[in-house]
Amino acid sequence: MKHLLALLLAACVTLPAAAQEWQGKTAAFFGVTFLDTSNEGSLNGVRADERARLAMIEEYIAEALRAQGLTLLDLGPVQEELDRTVNPAKCNGCDLRMAKRLGADYTVVSEVQKVSNLILSMNLYIKDTATGKQLRGQAVDIRGNTDDSWTRGMRYILTRNVFK
């Protein structure tokens, strides 16, 4: 656990200084959806280490958003709808509808797709709630299913695209 916390803190420190565009704004962060399209997942189910990585990367993203000046809103008022949603990143605009109900300036969605234990794809997208326009976002492929590879992949998205 100390190792994970150290990774998170070190990675957050390397993010660029907070940009004015994010200061004082609110976001509905709908977490990270894990899509296991590998044979392993269908045969053995979700692995404990992948569940832990998912929680780790969600906290990493949340801390990075807060570090840039965004206030993350409580999802409680839309939790029932969110629980019925398989993937907020691909739900025909349900993320925007929920974010509007919350009064959020932005909606943030993310996915990690496991193709195999060697190949994973990560993405994160930020949209303007009022217009539905995507403001930032990127997908990257990573090699290796480790804490380090997941953190490096998301750090790349955040520093090279979202908070550039």
Side-chain angles (χ1 to χ4, degrees):
M1 191 57 147
K2 287 181 185 178
H3 175 68
L4 292 178
L5 185 57
L7 273 174
L8 288 172
L9 291 174
C12 284
V13 171
T14 63
L15 290 174
Q20 287 285 44
E21 69 184 299
W22 307 110
Q23 294 296 309
K25 301 290 184 170
T26 59
F29 173 41
F30 294 106
V32 181
T33 301
F34 184 67
L35 308 168
D36 189 347
T37 57
S38 72
N39 285 336
E40 180 185 10
S42 61
L43 294 174
N44 302 321
V46 181
R47 295 176 4 192
D49 62 334
E50 291 168 341
R51 276 195 299 273
R53 281 188 199 103
L54 193 58
M56 175 193 72
I57 208 71
E58 283 182 345
E59 184 59 30
Y60 177 78
I61 294 166
E63 288 303 315
L65 294 170
R66 287 185 196 103
Q68 293 297 312
L70 284 164
T71 299
L72 301 185
L73 298 177
D74 175 23
L75 301 179
V78 297
Q79 193 63 53
E80 191 175 303
E81 182 178 355
L82 186 57
D83 289 343
R84 291 190 312 266
T85 304
V86 174
N87 183 354
K90 293 190 174 88
C91 62
N92 296 316
C94 75
D95 61 320
L96 291 168
R97 289 189 299 276
M98 288 187 281
K100 283 179 185 176
R101 282 183 31 215
L102 294 170
D105 295 305
Y106 305 114
T107 178
V108 182
V109 293
S110 182
E111 296 172 309
V112 173
Q113 179 186 5
K114 177 182 172 182
V115 177
S116 71
N117 230 8
L118 177 63
I119 303 168
L120 293 95
S121 178
M122 307 181 99
N123 63 54
L124 182 126
Y125 298 101
I126 297 180
K127 292 183 259 180
D128 182 294
T129 302
T131 66
K133 179 182 173 190
Q134 181 178 309
L135 301 174
R136 299 276 202 294
Q138 185 173 17
V140 298
D141 289 339
I142 60 173
R143 298 296 179 258
N145 191 2
T146 66
D147 293 350
D148 189 47
S149 64
W150 282 47
T151 303
R152 272 194 331 261
M154 191 51 66
R155 182 175 52 236
Y156 184 88
I157 291 171
L158 291 170
T159 59
R160 301 293 178 122
N161 182 280
V162 174
F163 301 129
K164 62 179 181 167

